[in-house]
Coordinates of all heavy atoms in Angstrom, one line a residue:
Chain T
D331 N 1.3 90.2 14.0 CA 2.5 89.7 13.4 C 2.6 88.2 13.5 O 2.3 87.6 14.6 CB 3.8 90.3 14.0 CG 3.9 91.8 13.7 OD1 3.2 92.2 12.8 OD2 4.7 92.4 14.4
G332 N 2.9 87.5 12.4 CA 2.9 86.0 12.5 C 1.6 85.4 11.8 O 1.6 84.4 11.2
A333 N 0.5 86.2 11.9 CA -0.8 85.7 11.4 C -1.0 86.3 10.0 O -1.9 85.9 9.3 CB -1.9 86.2 12.3
V334 N -0.2 87.3 9.6 CA -0.4 87.9 8.3 C 0.9 88.0 7.5 O 2.0 87.8 8.1 CB -0.9 89.4 8.5 CG1 -2.3 89.4 9.1 CG2 0.0 90.2 9.3
V335 N 0.8 88.2 6.2 CA 2.0 88.4 5.4 C 2.5 89.9 5.6 O 1.6 90.8 5.5 CB 1.7 88.2 3.9 CG1 2.7 88.8 3.0 CG2 1.6 86.6 3.6
Q336 N 3.7 90.0 5.8 CA 4.3 91.4 5.9 C 5.3 91.5 4.7 O 6.4 91.1 4.8 CB 5.1 91.6 7.2 CG 4.3 91.4 8.5 CD 3.3 92.7 8.7 OE1 3.1 93.5 7.8 NE2 2.8 92.8 9.9
Y337 N 4.8 92.2 3.6 CA 5.6 92.2 2.4 C 6.9 93.0 2.6 O 7.8 92.9 1.7 CB 4.7 92.7 1.3 CG 3.9 91.7 0.5 CD1 2.5 91.8 0.3 CD2 4.5 90.5 0.1 CE1 1.8 90.9 -0.4 CE2 3.8 89.5 -0.5 CZ 2.4 89.7 -0.8 OH 1.7 88.8 -1.4
R338 N 6.9 93.8 3.6 CA 8.2 94.6 3.8 C 9.3 93.6 4.0 O 10.5 93.9 3.8 CB 8.1 95.5 4.9 CG 8.0 94.9 6.3 CD 8.2 95.9 7.4 NE 8.2 95.2 8.7 CZ 7.2 95.0 9.5 NH1 6.0 95.4 9.1 NH2 7.3 94.3 10.6
D339 N 9.0 92.4 4.5 CA 10.0 91.4 4.7 C 10.2 90.4 3.5 O 10.9 89.4 3.7 CB 9.6 90.5 6.0 CG 9.6 91.4 7.2 OD1 10.3 92.4 7.2 OD2 8.9 91.0 8.2
W340 N 9.6 90.8 2.4 CA 9.8 89.9 1.2 C 10.6 90.6 0.1 O 10.7 90.1 -1.0 CB 8.4 89.7 0.6 CG 7.5 88.7 1.3 CD1 7.2 88.8 2.6 CD2 6.9 87.6 0.8 NE1 6.4 87.7 3.0 CE2 6.2 87.0 1.8 CE3 6.8 87.0 -0.5 CZ2 5.4 85.8 1.7 CZ3 6.1 85.8 -0.6 CH2 5.4 85.2 0.4
G341 N 11.3 91.7 0.4 CA 12.1 92.4 -0.6 C 12.9 93.5 0.0 O 13.0 93.6 1.2
L342 N 13.3 94.4 -0.8 CA 14.2 95.5 -0.4 C 13.5 96.7 0.2 O 14.0 97.1 1.3 CB 15.1 96.0 -1.6 CG 15.9 94.9 -2.3 CD1 16.7 95.6 -3.4 CD2 16.8 94.1 -1.3
P343 N 12.5 97.2 -0.4 CA 11.9 98.4 0.2 C 11.0 98.1 1.5 O 10.5 97.0 1.6 CB 11.0 99.0 -0.9 CG 10.7 97.8 -1.8 CD 11.8 96.7 -1.6
L344 N 10.9 99.1 2.3 CA 9.9 99.0 3.4 C 8.5 99.3 2.9 O 7.6 98.5 3.0 CB 10.3 99.9 4.5 CG 9.2 100.2 5.6 CD1 8.7 99.0 6.2 CD2 9.7 101.2 6.6
G345 N 8.3 100.5 2.3 CA 7.0 101.0 2.0 C 6.7 100.7 0.5 O 7.6 100.6 -0.3
R346 N 5.5 100.5 0.2 CA 5.0 100.3 -1.2 C 3.7 101.0 -1.4 O 2.9 101.2 -0.5 CB 4.9 98.8 -1.5 CG 3.7 98.2 -0.9 CD 4.1 96.8 -0.3 NE 4.2 95.8 -1.3 CZ 5.4 95.1 -1.4 NH1 6.4 95.3 -0.6 NH2 5.5 94.1 -2.3
R347 N 3.4 101.5 -2.7 CA 2.2 102.0 -3.0 C 1.2 100.8 -3.2 O 1.7 99.6 -3.1 CB 2.2 102.9 -4.2 CG 2.8 102.3 -5.4 CD 3.2 103.4 -6.4 NE 2.1 103.5 -7.4 CZ 1.7 104.7 -7.9 NH1 2.3 105.8 -7.6 NH2 0.7 104.8 -8.7
F348 N 0.0 101.0 -3.6 CA -1.0 99.9 -3.8 C -0.8 99.3 -5.2 O -1.6 99.5 -6.1 CB -2.4 100.6 -3.7 CG -3.5 99.6 -3.3 CD1 -4.6 100.0 -2.6 CD2 -3.4 98.2 -3.6 CE1 -5.6 99.2 -2.2 CE2 -4.4 97.3 -3.2 CZ -5.5 97.8 -2.5
R349 N 0.3 98.6 -5.3 CA 0.8 98.1 -6.5 C -0.2 97.1 -7.2 O -0.2 96.9 -8.4 CB 2.1 97.3 -6.4 CG 3.2 98.2 -5.9 CD 4.5 97.4 -5.7 NE 5.6 98.2 -5.3 CZ 6.8 97.7 -4.8 NH1 7.0 96.4 -4.7 NH2 7.8 98.5 -4.4
A350 N -0.9 96.4 -6.4 CA -1.7 95.3 -6.9 C -2.9 95.8 -7.8 O -3.4 95.0 -8.7 CB -2.3 94.4 -5.8
L351 N -3.3 97.0 -7.5 CA -4.5 97.5 -8.2 C -4.4 97.5 -9.8 O -5.3 97.2 -10.5 CB -4.9 98.9 -7.8 CG -5.6 98.9 -6.4 CD1 -5.6 100.4 -5.9 CD2 -7.0 98.4 -6.4
K352 N -3.2 97.8 -10.3 CA -3.1 98.0 -11.7 C -3.1 96.5 -12.4 O -3.5 96.4 -13.5 CB -1.8 98.7 -12.1 CG -0.5 98.2 -11.5 CD 0.6 99.2 -11.6 CE 1.8 98.8 -10.7 NZ 2.8 99.9 -10.7
L353 N -2.7 95.5 -11.7 CA -2.7 94.2 -12.2 C -4.2 93.6 -12.0 O -4.7 92.9 -12.9 CB -1.7 93.3 -11.5 CG -1.3 92.0 -12.2 CD1 -0.9 92.2 -13.6 CD2 -0.1 91.4 -11.4
W354 N -4.8 94.0 -10.9 CA -6.2 93.5 -10.7 C -7.1 94.1 -11.7 O -7.9 93.4 -12.3 CB -6.5 94.1 -9.3 CG -7.8 93.5 -8.7 CD1 -8.1 92.2 -8.5 CD2 -8.8 94.3 -8.1 NE1 -9.3 92.1 -7.8 CE2 -9.8 93.4 -7.6 CE3 -9.1 95.7 -7.9 CZ2 -11.0 93.8 -6.9 CZ3 -10.2 96.1 -7.3 CH2 -11.2 95.2 -6.8
A355 N -6.9 95.4 -12.0 CA -7.8 96.0 -13.0 C -7.5 95.4 -14.4 O -8.5 95.2 -15.2 CB -7.6 97.6 -13.1
L356 N -6.3 95.1 -14.7 CA -5.9 94.5 -16.0 C -6.6 93.2 -16.2 O -7.3 92.9 -17.2 CB -4.4 94.4 -16.1 CG -3.9 93.7 -17.4 CD1 -4.0 94.7 -18.6 CD2 -2.5 93.2 -17.3
F357 N -6.5 92.3 -15.1 CA -7.1 91.0 -15.2 C -8.6 91.1 -15.3 O -9.2 90.3 -16.1 CB -6.7 90.1 -14.0 CG -5.3 89.6 -14.0 CD1 -4.6 89.5 -12.8 CD2 -4.7 89.2 -15.2 CE1 -3.2 89.1 -12.8 CE2 -3.3 88.8 -15.2 CZ -2.6 88.7 -14.0
R358 N -9.2 92.0 -14.5 CA -10.7 92.0 -14.5 C -11.3 92.7 -15.7 O -12.3 92.2 -16.2 CB -11.1 92.7 -13.2 CG -10.7 91.9 -12.0 CD -11.4 92.4 -10.7 NE -12.8 92.2 -10.7 CZ -13.6 92.5 -9.7 NH1 -13.1 93.1 -8.6 NH2 -14.9 92.4 -9.8
L359 N -10.7 93.8 -16.1 CA -11.3 94.5 -17.2 C -11.0 94.0 -18.6 O -11.6 94.3 -19.6 CB -10.9 96.0 -17.1 CG -11.3 96.7 -15.8 CD1 -10.9 98.1 -15.7 CD2 -12.9 96.6 -15.5
E360 N -9.9 93.2 -18.7 CA -9.5 92.5 -19.9 C -10.0 91.1 -20.0 O -10.6 90.6 -21.0 CB -8.1 92.5 -20.2 CG -7.4 93.9 -20.3 CD -7.7 94.7 -21.5 OE1 -7.9 94.0 -22.6 OE2 -7.8 95.9 -21.5
G361 N -9.9 90.4 -18.9 CA -10.2 89.0 -18.9 C -9.1 88.1 -19.5 O -8.4 88.6 -20.4
A362 N -8.9 86.9 -19.0 CA -7.7 86.1 -19.4 C -7.8 85.7 -20.9 O -6.8 85.7 -21.5 CB -7.7 84.8 -18.5
E363 N -9.0 85.4 -21.3 CA -9.2 85.1 -22.8 C -8.6 86.1 -23.7 O -7.9 85.8 -24.6 CB -10.7 84.9 -23.1 CG -11.2 83.5 -22.9 CD -12.6 83.4 -23.3 OE1 -13.1 84.3 -24.0 OE2 -13.2 82.4 -22.9
A364 N -8.9 87.4 -23.4 CA -8.5 88.4 -24.3 C -7.0 88.7 -24.2 O -6.3 89.0 -25.2 CB -9.2 89.7 -24.0
L365 N -6.5 88.5 -23.0 CA -5.0 88.6 -22.9 C -4.3 87.6 -23.6 O -3.3 87.8 -24.4 CB -4.6 88.6 -21.3 CG -5.1 89.7 -20.5 CD1 -4.9 89.4 -19.0 CD2 -4.4 91.0 -20.9
R366 N -4.8 86.3 -23.5 CA -4.1 85.2 -24.3 C -4.3 85.5 -25.8 O -3.3 85.2 -26.5 CB -4.8 83.9 -23.9 CG -4.3 83.4 -22.5 CD -4.7 81.9 -22.3 NE -6.2 81.8 -22.2 CZ -6.9 81.6 -21.1 NH1 -6.2 81.7 -19.9 NH2 -8.2 81.5 -21.2
A367 N -5.4 86.0 -26.2 CA -5.6 86.2 -27.6 C -4.6 87.2 -28.2 O -4.1 87.1 -29.3 CB -7.0 86.7 -27.9
R368 N -4.4 88.2 -27.4 CA -3.4 89.3 -27.8 C -2.0 88.7 -27.9 O -1.3 89.0 -28.9 CB -3.5 90.5 -26.9 CG -2.4 91.5 -27.2 CD -2.8 92.9 -26.6 NE -2.9 92.9 -25.2 CZ -1.9 92.9 -24.3 NH1 -0.7 92.8 -24.7 NH2 -2.1 93.0 -23.0
L369 N -1.6 87.9 -26.9 CA -0.3 87.3 -27.0 C -0.1 86.4 -28.2 O 0.9 86.4 -28.9 CB 0.0 86.5 -25.7 CG -0.1 87.3 -24.4 CD1 0.2 86.4 -23.2 CD2 0.9 88.5 -24.3
R370 N -1.2 85.7 -28.5 CA -1.2 84.7 -29.6 C -1.1 85.5 -31.0 O -0.5 85.1 -31.9 CB -2.4 83.8 -29.6 CG -2.3 82.8 -28.6 CD -3.5 81.8 -28.6 NE -3.2 80.7 -27.7 CZ -4.1 80.4 -26.6 NH1 -5.2 81.1 -26.5 NH2 -3.8 79.4 -25.8
R371 N -1.8 86.6 -31.0 CA -1.7 87.5 -32.2 C -0.3 87.9 -32.4 O 0.2 87.8 -33.5 CB -2.6 88.8 -32.0 CG -2.4 89.8 -33.0 CD -2.8 91.2 -32.5 NE -1.9 91.8 -31.5 CZ -2.0 93.0 -31.0 NH1 -3.0 93.8 -31.2 NH2 -1.1 93.4 -30.1
D372 N 0.5 88.3 -31.4 CA 1.9 88.7 -31.5 C 2.8 87.6 -32.0 O 3.7 87.8 -32.8 CB 2.3 89.4 -30.2 CG 1.5 90.6 -29.9 OD1 0.9 91.2 -30.8 OD2 1.4 91.0 -28.7
L373 N 2.5 86.4 -31.4 CA 3.3 85.3 -31.8 C 3.1 84.9 -33.2 O 4.1 84.7 -33.9 CB 2.9 84.0 -30.9 CG 3.3 84.1 -29.4 CD1 2.8 82.8 -28.7 CD2 4.8 84.3 -29.2
A374 N 1.9 85.0 -33.7 CA 1.6 84.7 -35.1 C 2.3 85.8 -36.0 O 2.8 85.5 -37.0 CB 0.1 84.6 -35.3
N375 N 2.2 87.1 -35.6 CA 2.7 88.1 -36.4 C 4.2 88.0 -36.5 O 4.8 88.2 -37.6 CB 2.4 89.5 -35.8 CG 1.0 89.9 -36.1 OD1 0.3 89.4 -37.0 ND2 0.5 90.9 -35.3
A376 N 4.9 87.5 -35.4 CA 6.3 87.3 -35.4 C 6.7 86.2 -36.4 O 7.7 86.4 -37.2 CB 6.8 87.0 -34.0
R377 N 6.0 85.1 -36.3 CA 6.3 84.0 -37.2 C 6.1 84.4 -38.7 O 6.9 84.1 -39.6 CB 5.4 82.8 -36.9 CG 5.9 82.0 -35.6 CD 5.2 80.7 -35.5 NE 3.8 80.8 -35.2 CZ 3.2 80.9 -34.0 NH1 4.0 80.8 -33.0 NH2 1.9 81.0 -33.9
R378 N 5.0 85.1 -38.9 CA 4.7 85.5 -40.3 C 5.8 86.5 -40.8 O 6.2 86.4 -42.0 CB 3.3 86.2 -40.2 CG 2.5 86.2 -41.5 CD 1.1 86.7 -41.2 NE 0.5 87.1 -42.4 CZ -0.7 87.8 -42.5 NH1 -1.3 88.1 -41.4 NH2 -1.1 88.3 -43.6
F379 N 6.2 87.4 -39.9 CA 7.2 88.4 -40.3 C 8.5 87.7 -40.6 O 9.2 88.0 -41.6 CB 7.3 89.4 -39.1 CG 8.5 90.3 -39.3 CD1 8.5 91.3 -40.3 CD2 9.6 90.3 -38.5 CE1 9.6 92.2 -40.5 CE2 10.7 91.2 -38.6 CZ 10.7 92.1 -39.7
A380 N 8.9 86.7 -39.7 CA 10.1 86.0 -39.9 C 10.1 85.3 -41.3 O 11.2 85.2 -41.9 CB 10.3 85.0 -38.7
A381 N 9.0 84.8 -41.6 CA 8.9 84.1 -42.9 C 9.1 85.0 -44.1 O 9.8 84.7 -45.0 CB 7.5 83.4 -43.0
L382 N 8.6 86.2 -44.0 CA 8.8 87.3 -45.0 C 10.3 87.6 -45.1 O 10.9 87.7 -46.2 CB 8.0 88.6 -44.6 CG 6.6 88.6 -44.8 CD1 6.1 90.0 -44.5 CD2 6.2 88.3 -46.3
V383 N 10.9 87.8 -43.9 CA 12.4 88.1 -43.9 C 13.2 87.0 -44.5 O 14.1 87.2 -45.4 CB 12.8 88.4 -42.5 CG1 14.3 88.7 -42.4 CG2 12.0 89.6 -41.9
E384 N 12.9 85.8 -44.1 CA 13.7 84.6 -44.6 C 13.6 84.5 -46.1 O 14.6 84.1 -46.8 CB 13.1 83.3 -44.0 CG 13.5 83.1 -42.5 CD 14.9 82.6 -42.3 OE1 15.7 82.7 -43.3 OE2 15.2 82.2 -41.2
A385 N 12.5 84.9 -46.6 CA 12.2 84.7 -48.1 C 12.8 85.8 -48.9 O 12.9 85.7 -50.1 CB 10.7 84.5 -48.3
A386 N 13.2 86.9 -48.3 CA 13.7 88.0 -49.0 C 15.2 88.0 -49.3 O 16.0 87.7 -48.4 CB 13.3 89.3 -48.3
P387 N 15.6 88.2 -50.5 CA 17.0 88.1 -50.9 C 17.8 89.2 -50.0 O 17.4 90.3 -49.9 CB 17.1 88.5 -52.3 CG 15.6 88.4 -52.8 CD 14.8 88.6 -51.7
G388 N 18.9 88.7 -49.5 CA 19.8 89.6 -48.8 C 19.5 89.7 -47.3 O 20.2 90.2 -46.5

Side-chain angles (χ1 to χ4, degrees):
Chain T
D331 293 345
V334 294
V335 162
Q336 297 288 17
Y337 273 131
R338 71 168 185 270
D339 295 336
W340 285 54
L342 304 183
L344 163 58
R346 70 224 288 123
R347 55 192 269 143
F348 206 150
R349 296 175 179 171
L351 283 167
K352 52 195 171 189
L353 199 49
W354 193 52
L356 180 75
F357 285 144
R358 295 191 66 176
L359 301 177
E360 300 288 327
E363 269 183 15
L365 292 171
R366 285 192 294 260
R368 174 161 59 77
L369 301 177
R370 287 184 174 123
R371 174 200 68 179
D372 298 336
L373 292 178
N375 283 346
R377 283 192 295 266
R378 206 169 156 191
F379 172 68
L382 284 183
V383 174
E384 286 282 14

